[in-house]
Amino acid sequence: MKLQKQINLQKINNQTDEEQVLQCYSLWKDCFGDSNEYMEYYFKNKLKDNQVYVIEEEEQVISMLHLNPFRMSLKGKENVYHYIVGVATQEEKRGKGCMRNVLTKALREQREAGEIFTYLMPAAKEIYLPYDFRYIYTQDRVSGVLSEDVATQTELEVRPYAELSNQEKQDVVSFAMDHLEGIFELYTIRDQAYYDRLSLEMQAAGGDVVTIYKGNALKGISSFMLENGHMEIVETITSPEETKQMVNALFSYVFSQGKDQSLQVAWLETHFLDVNVLQQSVKDSEYKKQPIIMARVLDVKQALSLLELKEGETEAATIKLAVRDELLSENEKTYKIMVSANQTVIEQTEEEYEVCMDIASLTEFFFESVPTDTLCFETKGLNRAEAVARLNKLSGCRSSYINEIV
């Protein structure tokens, strides 16, 4: 008689479950192939704060999922949201439902903790589409071979973030937040702990976080990775008119550290930069829009409660919306949405729905990541044009800024 294998799905204690952490390290290495330096950074600095879900078979970790916490602002309200990373299953155990089980448990516990949504940076979107994740954030990227005349003499001074005083680090935080607050409705909150970790992360990938000054005035913050002759500028926060000086100062600094000048360069995040200037800084430049962050609404009622009338709308909007969610059945209800200039009221109702959409479409609707008239939904008592007109009166999260790696 064949013995039934013991399979266990649990959340481990990262501080005491040393054997399981070692097995997670091995699984990460096998599945992602990160450098030893980067893995040492992650397991030393990130693991102490995150949550790890594992599936064990015969006391061996065969599948895992990591939730990394970030303080975020969503429509003016601060909360801790968890970024899904490190989703991995042993190759011989794939296709047996491990990922679905570990992901469902993590999603449900995030919802129970009051999180409205969760998010991730997928290795391939096809992995997460069946679990109703959809893209909500796209970067405009520029890449190419660095031009020889880029690192010209500059009056700007570049200083590594790690070498700043505590007061100077607080000034960096204030500078970053001044560029995010009031511009984006969803963003990761910067504080000193955020930049302390980011500095270590960039250093683990051969790069750094640097600050760029003109005299005593802070003009920009840039984080970059540099491995095997390939430099990725993860983010530069500055003003677009400062782009040329930022580029010159950054590469002057990099070359002063003895780095090869024939670099393959990619600016991953260009929101605060002049793209035309970047394209002129490289040979054979390539510009592309790169979707990078997928998200999934976890708590429908909480998400709907953040809806507002779109700018310019004056008349109140009402609609009865049914939501379908195969993974989190708690969301499967019909909601009566009533939004005016002064308040938003969301009530569960037994009345017939006017619009019915699945949680994936609701995620796209809430984050306004696709035009309303392209959303997939059914109607009752309304034709599609009427439904689109009603939905178009409502605004969810209009602008996002998320570019963290882990």
Side-chain angles (χ1 to χ4, degrees):
M1 183 174 68
K2 187 175 181 180
L3 294 176
Q4 179 70 37
K5 289 185 178 180
Q6 289 191 344
I7 297 178
N8 182 31
L9 169 58
Q10 62 174 310
K11 182 162 62 175
I12 68 173
N13 186 321
N14 301 346
Q15 306 303 313
T16 60
D17 298 335
E18 295 181 5
E19 178 59 32
Q20 289 166 310
V21 170
L22 287 173
Q23 291 180 28
C24 289
Y25 185 98
S26 178
L27 182 57
W28 187 295
K29 185 70 173 177
D30 290 343
C31 292
F32 304 122
D34 288 326
S35 69
N36 291 334
E37 292 81 6
Y38 196 83
M39 289 186 62
E40 182 179 348
Y41 156 76
Y42 181 85
F43 278 82
K44 180 180 179 180
N45 295 280
K46 298 292 288 188
L47 205 68
K48 60 187 178 184
D49 296 322
N50 72 4
Q51 301 173 38
V52 180
Y53 294 81
V54 300
I55 295 178
E56 292 180 310
E57 183 179 281
E58 300 294 319
E59 299 185 350
Q60 290 294 312
V61 173
I62 63 170
S63 186
M64 67 178 180
L65 176 150
H66 298 229
L67 296 180
N68 290 352
F70 284 95
R71 285 197 308 132
M72 305 186 82
S73 176
L74 174 59
K75 294 185 74 70
K77 297 182 179 181
E78 181 182 327
N79 195 14
V80 173
Y81 291 95
H82 283 86
Y83 184 22
I84 298 174
V85 304
V87 183
T89 301
Q90 287 182 0
E91 186 172 3
E92 63 272 19
K93 303 295 182 182
R94 294 172 190 168
K96 299 179 180 179
C98 290
M99 177 179 166
R100 183 181 183 87
N101 290 336
V102 75
L103 182 60
T104 302
K105 182 174 178 63
L107 296 182
R108 178 158 283 114
E109 292 194 3
Q110 285 175 274
R111 186 184 190 280
E112 291 170 355
E115 297 178 39
I116 297 175
F117 74 100
T118 190
Y119 63 111
L120 52 82
M121 184 184 292
K125 68 178 182 179
E126 291 77 14
I127 299 172
Y128 296 97
L129 290 175
Y131 304 101
D132 303 306
F133 284 82
R134 294 296 184 268
Y135 277 117
I136 67 160
Y137 185 62
T138 296
Q139 290 180 328
D140 295 331
R141 294 183 169 183
V142 174
S143 62
V145 178
L146 193 66
S147 298
E148 292 86 351
D149 59 349
V150 163
T152 55
Q153 200 167 21
T154 174
E155 60 184 347
L156 302 184
E157 178 189 7
V158 179
R159 299 170 61 191
Y161 168 84
E163 296 178 7
L164 302 181
S165 68
N166 281 332
Q167 182 56 58
E168 288 169 331
K169 289 180 178 179
Q170 284 302 314
D171 293 342
V172 168
V173 169
S174 298
F175 182 90
M177 291 299 292
D178 286 346
H179 282 75
L180 299 175
E181 291 175 320
I183 299 175
F184 303 103
E185 293 198 327
L186 172 63
Y187 60 88
T188 307
I189 294 170
R190 270 61 168 169
D191 56 21
Q192 189 169 330
Y194 176 97
Y195 276 110
D196 288 345
R197 286 192 301 268
L198 183 62
S199 177
L200 292 172
E201 180 182 356
M202 295 297 102
Q203 289 170 15
D208 210 344
V209 176
V210 296
T211 54
I212 303 172
Y213 290 84
K214 184 175 184 179
N216 293 323
L218 180 60
K219 292 294 184 178
I221 312 162
S222 191
S223 55
F224 66 92
M225 302 182 290
L226 206 171
E227 295 178 301
N228 303 318
H230 187 192
M231 183 170 174
E232 292 184 329
I233 297 96
V234 176
E235 177 184 75
T236 299
I237 296 180
T238 187
S239 301
E241 62 271 18
E242 303 280 0
T243 299
K244 187 174 181 60
Q245 290 199 73
M246 290 293 115
V247 171
N248 286 338
L250 177 60
F251 287 103
S252 293
Y253 170 78
V254 168
F255 297 152
S256 75
Q257 304 300 303
K259 303 299 183 183
D260 188 349
Q261 297 192 21
S262 58
L263 287 173
Q264 181 74 32
V265 177
W267 284 270
L268 306 186
E269 181 65 74
T270 62
H271 182 87
F272 298 104
L273 296 167
D274 185 327
V275 169
N276 291 325
V277 173
L278 298 182
Q279 290 179 308
Q280 293 165 12
S281 302
V282 293
K283 294 176 288 186
D284 303 322
S285 70
E286 180 184 357
Y287 168 82
K288 67 175 179 179
K289 289 187 172 292
Q290 180 66 52
I292 65 161
I293 297 294
M294 301 181 85
R296 187 195 201 276
V297 168
L298 299 175
D299 190 315
V300 171
K301 188 171 183 180
Q302 279 203 79
L304 296 178
S305 71
L306 295 178
L307 293 177
E308 301 173 298
L309 288 179
K310 275 191 177 164
E311 189 173 347
E313 293 287 347
T314 55
E315 294 185 3
T318 63
I319 195 164
K320 292 189 282 287
L321 173 69
V323 177
R324 301 289 174 253
D325 190 339
E326 291 185 4
L327 282 185
L328 300 177
S329 59
E330 305 94 316
N331 286 322
E332 289 210 327
K333 298 179 175 68
T334 300
Y335 305 87
K336 188 173 184 180
I337 303 169
M338 298 163 283
V339 183
S340 67
N342 301 317
Q343 65 176 344
T344 297
V345 178
I346 309 298
E347 296 177 349
Q348 186 178 339
T349 181
E350 298 301 321
E351 297 178 43
E352 194 72 77
Y353 69 78
E354 295 169 312
V355 171
C356 178
M357 63 177 69
D358 64 19
I359 196 71
S361 294
L362 181 75
T363 296
E364 293 175 317
F365 170 66
F366 178 74
F367 287 104
E368 301 190 15
S369 55
V370 300
T372 306
D373 60 3
T374 67
L375 289 171
C376 181
F377 59 81
E378 302 171 1
T379 63
K380 280 187 179 179
L382 297 175
N383 61 41
R384 185 172 175 87
E386 291 171 329
V388 167
R390 294 254 203 112
L391 292 171
N392 263 333
K393 292 169 69 73
L394 301 172
S395 178
C397 178
R398 292 170 293 183
S399 55
S400 302
Y401 184 80
I402 309 172
N403 56 28
E404 287 72 31
I405 298 172
V406 295

